[in-house]
Amino acid sequence: MQIKIRKLEGPAEPGVYAFGSVEVFDDSHRLVINDLMILQHIDGRLGVSFPDPQTAPHYGGGPMFELAPELRQEIANTFLDAYGELRHKDKD
């Protein structure tokens, strides 16, 4: 599985350092996640905020989809790395 940055822009508004989207794919499948945001935690670290999946009106309720914690972390790391590269380029 691979992760590709589709869009990374910012800053957007106070507190939002950057926003964008990623594509998670393999040879036969593709998933696009929009509305990722880079925010600052209270302790000063940067983190990635994922969109809140809507609750689907189906039997049993619950979120429409859920990412495995490992995949979620891999996406966050890729997005933060791309943001770091963007900031580094802006300083040059």
Side-chain angles (χ1 to χ4, degrees):
M1 187 167 299
Q2 297 179 33
I3 301 168
K4 178 175 98 174
I5 303 296
R6 290 185 62 158
K7 180 168 104 175
L8 179 58
E9 298 177 3
E13 58 186 67
V16 178
Y17 288 76
F19 63 95
S21 61
V22 296
E23 183 175 340
V24 181
F25 62 97
D26 62 17
D27 291 337
S28 56
H29 299 91
R30 179 175 77 99
L31 171 69
V32 174
I33 302 173
N34 294 309
D35 298 328
L36 293 169
M37 292 185 289
I38 294 184
L39 307 172
Q40 188 172 24
H41 293 284
I42 293 172
D43 63 7
R45 293 178 302 121
L46 295 180
V48 176
S49 172
F50 285 76
D52 186 18
Q54 297 175 0
T55 301
H58 59 79
Y59 295 107
M64 185 169 54
F65 66 89
E66 185 175 333
L67 298 173
E70 300 83 6
L71 179 58
R72 187 180 178 98
Q73 187 62 55
E74 191 172 340
I75 292 167
N77 291 344
T78 301
F79 202 62
L80 284 168
D81 289 346
Y83 176 68
E85 290 174 17
L86 180 68
R87 285 183 52 201
H88 183 70
K89 285 181 185 177
D90 287 346
K91 287 182 181 180
D92 292 341

